[in-house]
Amino acid sequence: MEFFIDTAEVEEIKEAYSWGIIDGVTTNPSLIAKSGRSQEDVIKEIASIVDGPISAEVIATDSEGMIKEGSQLAEIHPNIVIKLPLTIDGIKACKYFSDNEIKTNVTLCFSANQALVAAKAGATYISPFVGRLDDIGQTGMQLIEEIREIYDNYGFSTKILTASIRHTDHMKAAALIGSDVATVPFKVLKALYSHPLTDKGLEQFLKDHASASN
Ligand code: G3P
């Protein structure tokens, strides 16, 4: 399973990358806006830190505009993955990029049929948003199960990139289902390491070691 970090905050990326478990980065227009910097600056800096796929999203909503914008983003660095919304225009642009061997991440996926059309268009990654489905009373993880089954039925090579991860249980469920990738906020990545019994056990080991050495 590949681990991506879902942020445009460079300091978070630097720290998480130093832990040695990060394979790539995803950004979106909301995350870039939150960083207060231009998309180009942020993406360039991320590419200088992380050696792996970096998703950068287009703003245009028509396929021609997406192709133009995505082609410019792809020029920034060979690791850039063009993030496109799951609309007819987005899927048209996805087909263009896959025909031209440029990697894509089709985002805002909320149904198995949407994931199916993205795979037909040759998407490199499909991003189903599990947390946002949970927010409206659905079960986001069920969508990951459905997409896994459909992609396996036909041998689609599109990678399932579980997105909108809100807590560590989402991560565990994604891993159990066999999601290829999970993109995870910094706070959730950090929480993956922790367990109260680890802290308690370590404290006891150190205490016992100290008393034995006296
Ligand atoms: O990057 C896309 C996705 O992970 C967004 O997550 O928490 O805004 O639903 P969230």
Side-chain angles (χ1 to χ4, degrees):
M1 187 184 199
E2 288 176 283
F3 284 21
F4 291 178
I5 181 169
D6 195 24
T7 185
E9 299 299 329
V10 167
E11 290 312 312
E12 289 184 348
I13 295 169
K14 276 187 193 158
E15 185 176 344
Y17 196 59
S18 77
W19 301 340
I21 59 159
I22 297 299
D23 301 294
V25 181
T26 53
T27 65
N28 64 38
S30 306
L31 294 170
I32 296 282
K34 202 172 142 211
S35 77
R37 301 173 62 194
S38 78
Q39 185 186 41
E40 192 176 340
D41 283 357
V42 176
I43 295 297
K44 277 185 181 160
E45 194 171 351
I46 296 173
S48 73
I49 303 164
V50 175
D51 183 18
I54 299 157
S55 290
E57 190 159 340
V58 299
I59 300 299
T61 53
D62 61 299
S63 60
E64 273 182 28
M66 290 179 190
I67 290 169
K68 192 173 163 215
E69 215 182 302
S71 303
Q72 286 163 356
L73 288 168
E75 291 282 301
I76 296 177
H77 193 278
N79 285 345
I80 304 302
V81 175
I82 309 308
K83 209 170 175 189
L84 303 157
L86 214 153
T87 58
I88 289 177
D89 281 276
I91 296 299
K92 276 170 74 176
C94 174
K95 177 77 174 107
Y96 169 87
F97 287 122
S98 65
D99 287 347
N100 286 279
E101 289 174 10
I102 292 173
K103 289 189 173 152
T104 53
N105 174 358
V106 176
T107 189
L108 291 168
C109 171
F110 295 96
S111 79
N113 283 329
Q114 288 182 316
L116 184 56
V117 295
K120 279 293 286 178
T124 314
Y125 301 98
I126 182 71
S127 287
F129 278 27
V130 294
R132 291 192 196 184
L133 280 170
D134 291 354
D135 289 347
I136 59 158
Q138 297 188 19
T139 307
M141 278 303 159
Q142 199 182 320
L143 176 59
I144 306 300
E145 281 176 13
E146 289 172 358
I147 301 172
R148 181 73 284 154
E149 189 174 339
I150 290 168
Y151 282 9
D152 289 350
N153 281 347
Y154 297 100
F156 283 120
S157 59
T158 300
K159 290 184 176 183
I160 303 173
L161 195 174
T162 301
S164 187
I165 284 185
R166 303 278 171 74
H167 47 70
T168 52
D169 273 359
H170 275 150
M171 191 66 178
K172 181 172 79 176
L176 284 169
I177 294 164
S179 178
D180 301 288
V181 192
T183 191
V184 192
F186 180 80
K187 194 178 74 176
V188 179
L189 270 176
K190 205 169 177 184
L192 294 177
Y193 290 77
S194 87
H195 195 285
L197 291 180
T198 305
D199 300 339
K200 197 177 163 202
L202 181 59
E203 198 185 322
Q204 189 64 49
F205 285 156
L206 294 179
K207 213 185 269 173
D208 292 344
H209 172 76
S211 54
S213 334
N214 287 331

